[in-house]
Amino acid sequence: MSDPTLTSEALDFGSFRPEYTAAVAAATAPILDKVKGVIPEIEWPAHAPYVAEIQRLKKERNAVVLAHNYMTPQIFHGVADLAGDSLALARMATEVDADVIVLCGVHFMAETAKILNPDKTVLIPDPKAGCSLASSITGADVRLLKERYPGVPVVSYVNTTADVKAETDVCCTSSNAVEVVESLGVDRVIFLPDQYLGKYVAAQTDVELILWQGQCEVHERFTGEEVRRYRDGHPGVVVLAHPECPPDVLQEADYVGSTSGMIQHVDDARPAKVVMITECSMSDNVAVNFPDVEFVRPCNLCPHMQRITLPKILRSLQTLEHEVVVEPELAARARSSVERMLQVGRGKKG
Ligand code: 13P
Ligand code: SF4
């Protein structure tokens, strides 16, 4: 790994602004060409110097940038080495050969990467990038539930803290939840913390689910009425929805799946018109790769995901901030529930 010490000049962010030079324009031209349908060309001089500098520093640091599908297009197409849904990010974190992982997503995703890679430096560009699901439950809450339902195994969504994962038998994501629940071979499980994902899973399995009252602050805002308005306003539109949406939304959808599941569905079905009922940055990212598909874009942004910006990613690479730290004993307990999930899904696409 390269020398992590930095000069005071590099740390001076008050004056440090990478410049848009002819060399930067030339180096980033292929990326601009790709994203110009979703990023106005006039904005590119503001993004390009950061893209170029991040690309250079990644090599110097032997760093890899993992990005969630909800990142803005300048991050997703400009600086990410690998991108995907939460399951894919967890898998990628076990496979990357780098000294530093910069996780462009929310805190629980970076924490999961750290749990799986105790010896690597895992950075999150903004440690305040939280998640309403992860903050809806604590390890102490799970211990109380286990006392109330002795012997009933706990399945937790990865959208949880290390503390909750440490109390969990097996984690799941939106792309493998039914499979994980059924892998336990029991009649009843405690399923945490997303009540809507839980209801969606319960409708597809005979296993009884004891639910928690958590929900995603972004997806809970969608309604079935809104989906019907999209159908009326855009005849023939194919509706894809994330399982964190309330049940009336999922009932109206043509396909329900994780963020990567939705992308895969667009790739397989190539609908003429599609609406993705999820965080709206994703439609821009996907539209870049499917120019023949018309995307209807509802705009619900995740305020936590939006905290991750190019200047913050650059700062992370320059200063090696903000390092995600998980106490080793806690990490070891949390790791077993994440690894158990990865075993269940082994060989499957995220
Ligand atoms: P995915 O695992 O489907 O990417 O979902 C993560 C998330 O936080 C959705 O809001
Ligand atoms: Fe959490 Fe919802 Fe944001 Fe995903 S979209 S990170 S579930 S708050």
Side-chain angles (χ1 to χ4, degrees):
M1 180 179 164
S2 57
D3 179 5
T5 54
L6 286 162
T7 62
S8 55
E9 191 191 336
L11 286 165
D12 181 10
F13 286 92
S15 60
F16 182 78
R17 293 241 190 308
E19 274 178 46
Y20 189 57
T21 60
V24 167
T28 59
I31 304 169
L32 171 61
D33 202 39
K34 204 170 174 196
V35 298
K36 64 186 176 207
V38 293
I39 299 180
E41 227 168 311
I42 197 167
E43 286 180 13
W44 193 242
H47 300 309
Y50 287 97
V51 169
E53 186 59 9
I54 289 166
Q55 296 290 17
R56 189 190 69 74
L57 260 180
K58 279 196 299 190
K59 290 194 195 108
E60 200 175 299
R61 293 288 198 201
N62 189 23
V64 69
V65 171
L66 302 188
H68 185 260
N69 291 326
Y70 290 162
M71 290 293 102
T72 55
Q74 58 270 27
I75 295 174
F76 189 90
H77 292 288
V79 300
D81 296 295
L82 296 162
D85 64 5
S86 336
L87 179 60
L89 290 176
R91 285 208 189 114
M92 289 165 189
T94 64
E95 288 159 10
V96 293
D97 180 21
D99 296 319
V100 178
I101 296 174
V102 183
L103 199 306
C104 296
V106 292
H107 193 269
F108 77 80
M109 295 172 177
E111 199 176 54
T112 305
K114 180 65 187 179
I115 287 166
L116 292 166
N117 286 287
D119 300 329
K120 285 196 166 73
T121 302
V122 176
L123 306 175
I124 182 160
D126 187 332
K128 292 201 197 99
C131 169
S132 65
L133 282 167
S135 58
S136 74
I137 188 161
T138 64
D141 292 326
V142 186
R143 284 192 289 279
L144 284 174
L145 279 167
K146 291 201 284 194
E147 272 171 34
R148 186 147 157 208
Y149 300 100
V152 180
V154 176
V155 176
S156 294
Y157 199 22
V158 280
N159 299 41
T160 45
T161 58
D163 219 21
V164 168
K165 288 185 175 80
E167 298 293 338
T168 292
D169 292 282
V170 54
C171 287
C172 73
T173 73
S174 54
S175 66
N176 63 11
V178 176
E179 201 185 353
V180 166
V181 163
E182 295 192 337
S183 75
L184 291 165
V186 295
D187 297 334
R188 215 154 68 126
V189 305
I190 299 169
F191 187 92
L192 310 169
D194 185 354
Q195 58 167 316
Y196 295 140
L197 176 64
K199 284 178 185 158
Y200 176 69
V201 173
Q204 295 179 69
T205 179
D206 292 333
V207 180
E208 184 196 339
L209 267 55
I210 297 159
L211 301 180
W212 186 253
Q213 298 291 311
Q215 57 258 329
C216 160
E217 68 188 80
V218 178
H219 291 89
E220 71 173 343
R221 300 209 304 268
F222 291 107
T223 64
E225 173 55 36
E226 187 181 345
V227 175
R228 286 190 289 280
R229 278 204 307 274
Y230 293 129
R231 285 204 193 278
D232 291 346
H234 305 274
V237 72
V238 172
V239 178
L240 315 182
H242 196 277
E244 288 171 10
C245 293
D248 64 328
V249 173
L250 301 185
Q251 263 157 25
E252 297 286 339
D254 298 304
Y255 170 86
V256 177
S258 77
T259 55
S260 290
M262 285 189 246
I263 298 171
Q264 190 62 49
H265 188 83
V266 172
D267 197 9
D268 293 343
R270 300 291 171 129
K273 248 183 271 182
V274 72
V275 58
M276 293 178 154
I277 307 296
T278 191
E279 214 268 0
C280 62
S281 296
M282 192 169 106
S283 295
D284 286 342
N285 293 336
V286 186
V288 166
N289 294 332
F290 299 97
D292 297 335
V293 177
E294 184 191 331
F295 286 78
V296 176
R297 291 176 168 85
C299 208
N300 281 1
L301 284 167
C302 173
H304 311 290
M305 293 281 184
Q306 294 297 310
R307 281 182 171 276
I308 309 301
T309 61
L310 288 174
K312 288 180 191 170
I313 297 168
L314 176 57
R315 188 186 168 93
S316 258
L317 282 163
Q318 287 174 322
T319 63
L320 292 182
E321 283 179 343
H322 299 270
E323 187 168 358
V324 178
V325 179
V326 187
E327 191 268 307
E329 193 270 335
L330 179 70
R333 287 198 293 134
R335 193 175 310 123
S336 80
S337 61
V338 180
E339 281 178 345
R340 193 165 169 192
M341 166 183 85
L342 296 177
Q343 289 300 328
V344 172
R346 188 141 254 171
K348 295 219 167 160
K349 252 181 124 183

